[in-house]
Amino acid sequence: MNVFLVHGTMGKPFENWFPWIENKLVEKEIRCNIPTFPTPEHQNYSDWERLMDYYCGLGVVNEDTVLVGHSCGSVFLVHYLLTHKIHVKGLICVSGYNNFISGFEMMDKLNESFYMDAESLDMTAYADKVFSFFGDDDPNIPQEILKSFALEIGGDVQCIPNAGHFNAAAGYTTCSVVLQAIESCR
């Protein structure tokens, strides 16, 4: 098993709980990749898709991979799996959402190409296990958007009290619920 994590808009692999999760996985001898996806320049589905194609071509992402997406990285992964009909060991979406228009022009422009108007976003045919985590007090994304996305992709849905957007601003420099979800995919 290996883990591949995709950050969200304006994100980096060395922020929030990402370094902590990588260290915990290394201790358990689980390979973890957290690449830098280009943002804000080149943040669009087509450019991120090409980067993901590269990792799939290398065999880094395969049927033994647990994919973890944070924020907009979640809908990117769902979009990618549905488009390419790839099956993985697990899919974990943290503060994931789809079709959210914030009214903040720059953010909306960066995120819009990831969004999907698919008939179904059910990921249970594309991942052995599916998990969604979101905070009950997310300051960035409305609850109904977070919950709707989580229910649409299927699997285990958990609304975590006081988790905010599951980022450092909400105190998330560690994230035991994600680590437990990864371990349950073994």
Side-chain angles (χ1 to χ4, degrees):
M1 180 174 86
N2 67 82
V3 174
F4 190 91
L5 191 149
V6 177
H7 61 75
T9 302
M10 307 298 280
K12 300 288 178 227
F14 48 81
E15 64 186 10
N16 302 320
W17 43 270
F18 311 155
W20 177 84
I21 204 93
E22 182 178 29
N23 289 333
K24 288 294 183 186
L25 293 171
V26 167
E27 288 173 10
K28 297 174 183 301
E29 299 182 358
I30 298 172
R31 270 186 308 116
C32 179
N33 289 283
I34 311 173
T36 300
F37 279 76
T39 180
E41 193 173 319
H42 297 286
Q43 181 175 323
N44 59 69
Y45 181 79
S46 178
D47 287 348
W48 282 30
E49 178 185 39
R50 279 191 297 209
L51 186 54
M52 195 69 172
D53 288 345
Y54 173 77
Y55 284 106
C56 288
L58 289 176
V60 172
V61 175
N62 57 51
E63 66 280 346
D64 203 34
T65 301
V66 175
L67 295 173
V68 179
H70 179 252
S71 193
C72 193
S74 296
V75 72
F76 167 73
L77 288 173
V78 168
H79 192 156
Y80 189 85
L81 291 174
L82 286 171
T83 299
H84 294 273
K85 310 255 185 276
I86 294 172
H87 187 272
V88 293
K89 187 173 274 300
L91 174 65
I92 302 168
C93 294
V94 183
S95 300
Y97 56 91
N98 186 32
N99 293 327
F100 172 59
I101 305 302
S102 69
F104 183 47
E105 187 178 343
M106 184 187 85
M107 292 299 280
D108 292 341
K109 185 170 176 45
L110 289 173
N111 294 337
E112 69 185 348
S113 68
F114 296 134
Y115 296 158
M116 300 184 67
D117 288 323
E119 190 171 300
S120 172
L121 297 182
D122 187 355
M123 290 284 94
T124 57
Y126 297 95
D128 295 340
K129 292 193 175 186
V130 178
F131 298 89
S132 290
F133 302 104
F134 59 92
D136 69 349
D137 59 347
D138 192 311
N140 304 322
I141 313 296
Q143 283 296 297
E144 62 271 11
I145 300 288
L146 294 164
K147 186 176 182 180
S148 173
F149 179 76
L151 293 173
E152 284 184 60
I153 67 169
D156 183 87
V157 176
Q158 292 184 40
C159 180
I160 309 294
N162 305 311
H165 196 61
F166 273 92
N167 56 14
Y172 272 81
T173 55
T174 67
C175 195
S176 60
V177 294
V178 171
L179 183 60
Q180 291 166 2
I182 291 168
E183 290 173 332
S184 76
C185 291
R186 282 189 144 174

